[in-house]
Amino acid sequence: MILPNLLNQEMKLCCVDRQVEGNLIVEDQILSAPIVLQNVTFNGDVKFISCVFKQTAVFFDNQFKGDIDFSKSHFEKDIVFSGSTFKKKAIFQGSTITGTARFIDITFKSGADFTNSTFESATFFILSCFEQPVSFYGATFEKDANFTNATFTDISFSDSTIKRNLTFYGAKVKGRILFISTLQGGAKFLGDILDFRRTELNEIILSGGDPTPESEPGEFTGAILRVDNALDFRRATIRKAVFNDIQLDNTLNLLDVKFEGPMYVSSGSDFKEVKFDRWPSGKILPFRKGELKESMYIFIRLFNEKKDAVNENLAYFDYLAIGRKIKISEACSRFFGNWRSKISLLWEIPSYILLSLFWVISEFGTNLLRVFGVGIVFILLFMLSYIFYGKHNCFTKIQRPLEIKTRLSDTPILSFGEISLETTWVGDKWFKPVRLYFLFSFYTFVKLGVGDIRLRPEATPFLKMMVWTEWGLGYLWYLLLIYTLSRTAPILKGLLGGI
């Protein structure tokens, strides 16, 4: 039934700045005229069930105090509910929205149900507040969906199909956000990115199983959640995360993420590329089956197919950042109680040392200033070593044009064909010999400049060993510099990304 006082002379459903006491109920109708209901308070029910909206439907800035139901309706043009408030649960089950869907700055006091709905154009839930659970179970998003700065309790995208971007920038989830592929359905994530930047997530679950609130994370049901989208959690705050039987074919970006709780990862999960920049604290244990590419450092609790946590231990993923994948082995017991665990630990110790060193000198190839700082420290340390262990007459200048260029092929010790110049140090103040040691250390390490200082062949073996050590470390420093540039400089990243 359509209330007669809502129809204008052209039989359009139009109402502005009014209160409606009765019910607005329409079923199985084709509505060819536009609908404009703005700043209206509906004290009764509003139901458009199995209707077809041929023109734009505007329900702007309204108050819906009764039931609202748009089940199985088809909106062929745009739909606008922005600024409205729903006191009771908003039901859009099985609806299809061909035009743009605008649910901007809406308050859903009793939640919403978009189960099996189809959004064929861009969808906006920006700044909306869901005070009770909302379901997008089995929904299909053909274009981008934007939930920027929205607030949720529980929200489910289980068995949904997402073909483009899904954005939650700055959103807050006070309960759970679910992305589950069940055996009955099957979620499809085929777009570019699932954007969770700067979000506050109490709990997020991406799972191929169908876990229940009573079950432990990691309940296996045989389904696999395959995600083509990149998952971007940069600067998010996450209290709990579950990745169960998920196959991620794109990047998982966890840069600057603040973890306030555990991250659960099942042995059936597979990540193509993971980015992470936080150094872990506390106990570091070996790994679990799977493969990772890129750097990821995060404490997780591992669980197996029997839903038992593996000795309630924490472990972490990592990648040495030298261009190859590593395997993640089984987690050991808390006190490494068997001989296999002890042997495994011995094998892991060198990698821990290398990873720690790699963090200190470059933050895993992401901090260019730290790389240059490390180079300066090495130059000064070797300079001090030459001051304490060397003598002035151990070093000599050679005849060479005053040219500042790279000296990658030069050797630090006086070689055949190089002409030594007589240098007198007697009576010189301390500055000149210190300058000599510094320039020699700089030329040897950086291999840049005039390069006119050499170590005499008759120097002590220990001094020669120090010089050759600095010379070799200089080449390693250049490799680190090139790798860091490939990851930090936008232009060089494409040219040197394969190094």
Side-chain angles (χ1 to χ4, degrees), residues 9 14 40 129 203 207 324 367 415 445 452 456 462 480:
Q9 294 179 352
C14 181
V40 178
C129 178
E203 182 176 359
S207 175
R324 60 182 177 85
N367 192 324
S415 59
F445 189 85
D452 59 348
R456 294 181 183 274
F462 181 74
L480 177 64

Side-chain angles (χ1 to χ4, degrees), residues 339-356:
W339 64 272
R340 291 182 180 177
S341 298
K342 294 177 181 178
I343 294 176
S344 176
L345 178 62
L346 292 176
W347 281 106
E348 296 294 343
I349 288 175
S351 67
Y352 297 155
I353 296 174
L354 290 174
L355 289 168
S356 301

